[in-house]
């Protein structure tokens, strides 16, 4: 018996979402009194993988094969199913991130295992039955999914929990050699277009976000300046990305990214329910808006009713003072 | 080329969310149901665009009861050629996927395009399940799809960017924003939709892998602390000393 976590590597590092999935897997394993095992496909540094021990992983199965470096949902499903069998996993955990969203339901069919997508809490077990909480209706409600199949699959909503790390703990890294045929490879990567030079939004601890209240793309300078001062990532609301004031990859909300930073500063965003769905897991929310009736204030911890064009420049100055003093 | 587009029925985004029967069922009273937005705006419209360019057939499939007729007619009005309705309550994603996969096998399709997640369960699971049941390749979060000589070129979203990939048909594509520009049915479409065929078929099998035990509404709003716009320094102090996030 084991809990198996699917872990992804990007640019030589373990993805933040995968660290969370592995931590979630370890907590489930701890609750069940079994081992936390992780599996990694593609080339990776053994020391990087061993560090998964810090989030409670005991063993890492590593299919160290460059042919597995690119995500291919059909191939990965086969590999992950084989890893689940090899490790005797009764629970398989993945992140509810870009790749996990496609991989986990495929695995559910392959193993005929009940699947809970986007879990926000640890499962509660009664005998063989697990109850797992997830958000539904764009965060307007939650649902408890009941799964009683022998093998269960859970994908973890990114930024739903904060992994507690045991510094210096290491996991044993074992070679894993799944059997594959040429016909298992279905997806050929032709090119990759990464946005460089900024902090990836889903990884950021601090986020400064702005919306239509800014009146035009030419006014984003102060948002970028504030973000730069704070070491924060920038984000935006959907209407703003829809009219191309800001790129789509900055769009947070129901149809964009879900983030859960320590601090989310929303400037000139009214706070439609679809937007809140993407950010209401943030630890602290600050809302700056001219409209005291903006629904976002209901979800905020701190609010300033005021003009962004006056408040934000002041905030930059005040933050600079704070930084100089600390 | 034969393209299959699964469509879901969901409560309109502005609906009031409430539950009945001891919080085990969604309360449909006074709720308007619509076609899941990403199914309609991106998956269906891109399928229609591909057909307009390259010929073929677009079939929509829906698992649901007779009250789903309006959304099926809308899909036909937008330009789908015919529809299949599997006459069953869509309670579990695996169950719905097996129904759609069974029809897909019979219809010898080249391509299935699904929307992103549905706006009710936000689960993002149907596409992956259908693809695995058919043993097909699949790519999700696709914002660009072109097909030439049986090979699809797709742009998909990855963390912090996009990736362009190639996959041989048949395959399943999960749509993302920008895959197509949403359309509105025109009068000709609406008129012709009335005479387009809708095949109603019985469900096959009833295997379900999950059950929703109950729903819950979130706790009430947080306590907000207001800061004067003339005293922004106070915000910085609170974020540091009270909230401890900077």
């Amino acid at each position: 018996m084991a809990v198996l976590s699917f872990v992804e590597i990007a640019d030589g590092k373990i993805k933040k979402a995968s660290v969370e999935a592995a931590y979630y897997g370890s907590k489930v394993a701890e609750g069940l009194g079994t081992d936390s095992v992780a599996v990694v496909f593609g080339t990776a540094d053994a020391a990087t993988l061993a560090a998964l021990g810090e989030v409670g992983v005991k063993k890492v199965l590593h299919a160290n094969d460059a042919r597995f470096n690119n995500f291919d949902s059909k191939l990965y499903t086969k590999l992950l199913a084989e890893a689940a069998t090899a490790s005797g996993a009764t629970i398989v955990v993945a992140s509810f991130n870009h790749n996990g969203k496609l991989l986990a339901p495929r695995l559910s069919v392959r193993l005929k295992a009940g699947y809970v997508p986007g879990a926000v809490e640890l499962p509660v077990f009664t005998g063989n039955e697990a109850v797992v909480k997830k958000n539904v209706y764009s965060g307007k409600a939650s649902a408890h999914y009941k799964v009683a199949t022998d093998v269960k699959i859970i994908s973890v909503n990114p930024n739903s929990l904060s992994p507690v790390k045991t510094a210096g703990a290491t996991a044993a890294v074992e070679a894993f050699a799944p059997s594959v045929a040429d016909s298992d490879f279905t997806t050929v990567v032709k090119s990759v277009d990464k946005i460089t030079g900024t902090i990836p939004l889903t990884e950021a601890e601090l986020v400064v976000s702005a919306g239509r209240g800014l009146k035009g793309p030419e006014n984003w300078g102060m948002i970028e300046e504030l973000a730069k001062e704070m070491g924060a990532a920038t984000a935006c609301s959907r209407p703003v990305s829809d009219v191309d004031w800001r790129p789509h990859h900055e769009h947070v909300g129901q149809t964009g990214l879900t983030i859960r930073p320590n601090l989310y500063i929303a400037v000139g965003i009214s706070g439609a329910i679809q937007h809140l769905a993407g950010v209401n897991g943030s630890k602290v929310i600050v809302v700056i808006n001219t409209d005291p009736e903006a629904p976002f204030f209901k979800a905020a911890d701190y609010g300033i009713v005021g003009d962004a064009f006056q408040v934000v420049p002041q905030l930059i100055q005040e933050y600079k003072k704070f930084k100089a003093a600390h | 080329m034969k393209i299959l587009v699964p469509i879901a029925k969901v409560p309109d985004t502005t609906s009031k969310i409430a539950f009945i029967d001891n919080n085990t069922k969604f309360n449909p009273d006074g709720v308007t149901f619509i076609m899941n937005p990403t199914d309609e705006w991106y998956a269906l419209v891109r399928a229609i665009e591909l057909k307009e360019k390259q010929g073929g057939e677009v079939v929509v499939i829906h698992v649901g009861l007779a009250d789903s007729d309006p959304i099926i007619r809308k899909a036909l009005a937008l330009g789908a050629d015919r529809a299949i309705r599997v006459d069953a309550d869509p309670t579990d994603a695996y169950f719905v996927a097996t129904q759609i996969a069974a029809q897909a096998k019979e219809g010898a399709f080249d391509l299935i395009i699904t929307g992103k997640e549905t706006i009710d369960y936000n689960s993002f699971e149907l596409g992956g399940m259908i693809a695995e049941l058919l043993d097909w390749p699949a790519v999700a979060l696709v914002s660009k799809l072109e097909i030439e000589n049986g090979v699809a070129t797709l742009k998909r979203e990855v963390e912090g960017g996009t990736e362009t990939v190639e996959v041989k048909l048949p395959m399943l594509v999960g749509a993302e924003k920008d895959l197509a520009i949403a359309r509105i049915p025109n009068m000709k479409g609406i008129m012709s939709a009335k005479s387009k065929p809708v095949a109603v078929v019985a469900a096959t099998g009833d295997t379900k892998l999950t059950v929703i035990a109950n729903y819950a509404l979130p706790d009430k709003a947080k306590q907000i602390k207001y800061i004067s716009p003339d005293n922004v320094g106070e915000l910085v102090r609170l974020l540091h000393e009270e909230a401890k996030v900077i």
Side-chain angles (χ1 to χ4, degrees):
Chain A
M1 226 174 91
V3 175
L4 180 69
S5 306
F6 168 66
V7 168
E8 294 178 87
I9 306 288
D11 305 322
K13 282 192 292 205
I14 296 166
K15 286 185 186 175
K16 181 174 176 249
S18 291
V19 172
E20 291 166 9
Y23 175 72
Y24 186 100
S26 297
K27 295 304 281 182
V28 175
E30 193 183 305
L32 293 173
T34 178
D35 279 344
S36 170
V37 180
V39 64
V40 174
F41 307 136
T43 42
D45 183 47
T48 305
L49 302 185
L52 281 165
E54 295 192 344
V55 287
V57 174
K58 293 280 176 291
K59 187 166 79 177
V60 181
L61 302 175
H62 185 200
N64 194 357
D65 185 331
R67 291 178 303 162
F68 303 154
N69 283 3
N70 292 318
F71 179 72
D72 176 327
S73 72
K74 188 164 177 275
L75 169 73
Y76 271 42
T77 305
K78 186 178 178 185
L79 301 180
L80 188 52
E82 200 169 319
T85 311
S87 60
T90 51
I91 312 264
V92 181
V93 179
S95 173
F96 192 57
N97 65 350
H98 292 76
N99 295 341
K101 278 179 175 176
L102 186 53
L103 179 62
R106 289 197 78 135
L107 188 72
S108 161
V109 166
R110 196 168 185 108
L111 301 178
K112 241 183 166 192
Y115 166 51
V116 183
V120 293
E121 282 177 9
L122 288 167
V124 175
F125 288 92
T126 314
N128 183 44
E129 185 183 276
V131 173
V132 191
K133 184 178 170 184
K134 82 180 271 335
N135 290 334
V136 292
Y137 297 100
S138 311
K140 281 188 268 188
S142 58
H144 287 100
Y145 276 49
K146 224 163 34 179
V147 190
T149 47
D150 292 340
V151 178
K152 302 170 185 69
I153 301 168
I154 301 171
S155 63
V156 185
N157 206 32
N159 296 310
S160 290
L161 69 176
S162 316
V164 178
K165 294 187 182 180
T166 312
T170 56
V173 180
E174 264 181 32
F176 169 58
S179 55
V180 286
D182 286 348
S183 61
D184 292 325
F185 295 85
T186 65
T187 307
V188 183
V189 177
K190 304 304 268 188
S191 64
V192 181
D193 187 10
K194 290 257 181 170
I195 299 113
T196 51
T198 54
I199 300 163
L201 202 41
T202 48
E203 315 249 322
E205 299 292 354
L206 310 174
V207 174
V208 180
S209 187
R212 264 184 305 195
L214 253 63
K215 298 189 170 75
E218 67 280 5
N219 296 326
W220 247 263
M222 62 180 188
I223 299 298
E224 280 166 355
E225 192 186 342
L226 177 60
K228 198 170 159 230
E229 279 302 323
M230 300 183 73
T234 51
C236 70
S237 64
R238 175 169 179 163
V240 160
S241 89
D242 274 356
V243 294
D244 287 333
W245 288 2
R246 299 299 289 177
H248 175 55
H249 65 81
E250 274 199 2
H251 158 206
V252 292
Q254 175 53 38
T255 51
L257 293 168
T258 302
I259 57 170
R260 195 188 169 97
N262 279 334
L263 175 62
Y264 183 76
I265 301 180
V267 183
I269 300 176
S270 66
I273 189 80
Q274 291 84 355
H275 184 77
L276 296 184
V279 303
N280 58 12
S282 306
K283 194 174 160 211
V284 172
I285 295 176
V286 173
V287 170
I288 299 167
N289 205 304
T290 45
D291 177 9
E293 300 297 319
F296 216 152
F297 284 117
K298 290 204 177 82
D301 300 276
Y302 300 103
I304 297 181
V305 180
D307 183 355
F309 296 99
Q310 278 153 28
V311 174
V312 175
Q314 280 187 58
L315 188 52
I316 293 168
Q317 291 315 314
E318 292 295 338
Y319 189 82
K320 278 183 181 165
K321 271 196 245 164
F322 163 78
K323 213 163 69 171
H326 289 82
Chain B
M1 190 165 54
K2 284 184 75 176
I3 310 173
L4 184 67
V5 180
I7 55 173
K9 187 183 83 167
V10 296
D12 189 1
T13 41
T14 56
S15 306
K16 183 176 173 358
I17 304 301
F19 302 99
I20 48 172
D21 293 356
N22 212 8
N23 286 327
T24 57
K25 263 199 198 106
F26 177 71
N27 184 357
D29 278 1
V31 170
T32 308
F33 286 89
I34 58 168
M35 193 182 331
N36 187 50
T38 58
D39 298 355
E40 178 188 327
W41 298 341
Y42 312 128
L44 178 57
V45 174
R46 187 62 191 145
I48 293 164
E49 287 172 355
L50 287 169
K51 185 196 88 166
E52 286 169 351
K53 214 164 70 178
Q54 306 179 342
E57 187 185 29
V58 174
V59 180
V60 290
I61 182 163
H62 174 74
V63 179
L65 305 174
D67 59 0
S68 295
D69 200 53
I71 69 148
I72 292 173
R73 293 292 164 195
K74 186 175 187 194
L76 295 172
L78 280 163
D81 298 289
R82 62 186 171 90
I84 302 167
R85 179 169 69 80
V86 180
D87 192 27
D89 205 6
T91 47
D92 163 75
Y94 180 79
F95 170 74
V96 173
T98 53
Q99 303 310 315
I100 293 171
Q103 296 298 324
K105 269 181 201 158
E106 270 187 31
F109 290 91
D110 305 293
L111 179 66
I112 299 177
I113 311 181
T114 64
K116 212 176 165 177
E117 62 190 60
T118 57
I119 59 172
D120 48 6
Y121 296 109
N122 313 131
S123 289
F124 211 112
E125 51 190 332
L126 191 70
M129 286 183 172
I130 296 169
E132 189 63 23
L133 286 162
L134 297 171
D135 200 25
W136 281 11
V139 178
L141 296 165
V142 172
S143 57
K144 213 169 162 202
L145 164 67
E146 296 296 342
I147 290 165
E148 215 169 306
N149 303 321
V151 177
T153 303
L154 314 105
K155 191 158 106 175
R156 77 169 187 115
E157 195 178 286
V158 295
E159 278 93 350
T162 58
E163 200 173 80
T164 301
V165 300
E166 268 182 16
V167 179
K168 278 199 194 101
L169 299 188
M171 75 168 300
L172 182 140
V173 173
E176 168 62 291
K177 184 177 169 285
D178 294 340
L179 184 63
I181 296 164
R183 294 182 179 185
I184 296 165
N186 57 28
M187 193 43 81
K188 188 167 156 256
I190 294 166
M191 295 311 288
S192 67
K194 289 179 183 157
S195 55
K196 284 179 179 172
V198 179
V200 178
V201 299
T204 53
D206 65 348
T207 307
K208 290 171 184 148
L209 297 180
T210 56
V211 174
I212 294 179
N214 57 53
Y215 296 91
L217 292 170
D219 301 334
K220 65 176 179 55
K222 314 184 192 183
Q223 276 303 317
I224 182 171
K225 202 174 266 186
Y226 283 99
I227 296 126
S228 156
D230 305 319
N231 191 15
V232 177
E234 176 66 2
L235 175 66
V236 176
R237 187 190 71 78
L238 287 167
L239 289 177
H240 178 64
E241 290 177 13
E242 188 179 79
K244 298 187 172 65
V245 289
I246 58 172

